[in-house]
Amino acid sequence: MSKRPPITNRVRELREEHDRMSQAALGEAVGVTRHTIIAIEQGRYSPSLETAFRIARLFGVGVEDVFGWEGE
């Protein structure tokens, strides 16, 4: 079993605050699949820097408001 990346995120929280946006709609808006959004939200996948910026900008926040380093 592989170890989870040490990256935390608030993607699900922000998505739900944003008119309860679906995972599919978020994926389409930032150029990834729904499955990628699911994996990010579950902490099984760390997005590319480009995708992280796209997600943050979509929600109108900074990257560090969405993603963090475990233990901080």
Side-chain angles (χ1 to χ4, degrees):
M1 191 163 154
S2 64
K3 187 177 176 184
R4 291 186 127 161
I7 303 295
T8 61
N9 73 78
R10 297 179 51 230
V11 174
R12 179 174 299 189
E13 176 186 341
L14 292 166
R15 182 175 56 76
E16 289 178 354
E17 289 174 2
H18 195 78
D19 296 327
R20 299 199 52 82
M21 175 184 276
S22 71
Q23 292 166 327
L26 176 56
E28 185 174 329
V30 299
V32 299
T33 67
R34 175 180 65 90
H35 298 288
T36 298
I37 299 299
I38 292 168
I40 292 169
E41 288 183 354
Q42 292 176 346
R44 294 184 292 115
Y45 176 75
S46 295
S48 69
L49 187 55
E50 179 180 350
T51 300
F53 270 99
R54 288 178 188 272
I55 291 170
R57 286 189 178 172
L58 178 74
F59 294 128
V61 298
V63 173
E64 289 184 342
D65 295 319
V66 181
F67 299 95
W69 191 260
E70 194 172 88
E72 284 188 352

